[in-house]
Amino acid sequence: MADAALVLTGSPSLAPLLARGALLSPFKRPAPDAEFPRTRLVLPGLRVDLARLAAYERVCGFPTGEDALPLTYPHVLGFPLAMRLMSGRDFPLPLLGLVHTSITVTRHRGMPATGAYELAVRVEGLAPHRRGTEATVVTEVREGGDVVWESSSTYLTRHRTSRLVETPGEEVRKPLPAVAEWRLAEDVGRRYAVASGDRNPIHLHPLAARLFGFPRAIAHGMWTLARCLAAHGTPDSCHVRAAFKAPVLLPGTVTYAAEDGRFELRDGDERVHVAGDVYPA
């Protein structure tokens, strides 16, 4: 648990946080037993910018103009607080190359877009991974003192490790039936960056993406999840879990597949990019 709460007066600006994290990255020494920030960041009295929300809804495929936050939007609201923690000197994992590997979300009830909320974000801990070290970041949204939305995200930094980490066997599932084919434009990453504030260069320009080993810019993982959930639909009270398995290159063509509470985004019948479940909370 976090040792203390730090109450903020406004949402941090992402650009300087990303710059700070990039500059400090070469000096980080990641390890699962490293110290990590214990402070819980709290932002009370938050109100949603409706114009920015509408831009997010358009790029992700959600209906616009409704007095309801899409299930994934609180992640966008909490992301600057998470970046403040993960870009700091006391966070042991380098921000450059950090990969969002999974997220679980629980929404306890519908959330009006015109509501007032309190955000709280903390680093829950570090854990060994067969490819390096993984950090878990928890975000909570309260309305009137009650938790109405909460998430847990894992972020992986790859590094050499001598530890043998047992990885649970992944459940083998039959491929889901295809529902739609989506042709993704080259500018999806830039449009999502404007709406979300996440301007990581690997999502914006091919040259920046090549520095990290990608042939072209890649879509934000949270955009792929949001796009799937916009197509799938979510009840007011629900639980979602998703794993980000492979990057989506831009431009590109992907297949959205779904059945019952399961969904996935894949390259035709082959590589799966994101897979998840939606079920009542």
Side-chain angles (χ1 to χ4, degrees), residues 184 214-219 247-253 271 273:
L184 309 182
F214 301 106
R216 304 193 297 277
I218 63 173
V248 174
L249 297 175
L250 300 172
T253 300
R271 184 172 59 167
H273 297 290

Side-chain angles (χ1 to χ4, degrees), residues 176 232 258-263 276-279:
L176 298 175
H232 188 281
E259 187 173 55
D260 300 327
R262 294 175 55 206
F263 63 87
D277 303 84
V278 181
Y279 47 94

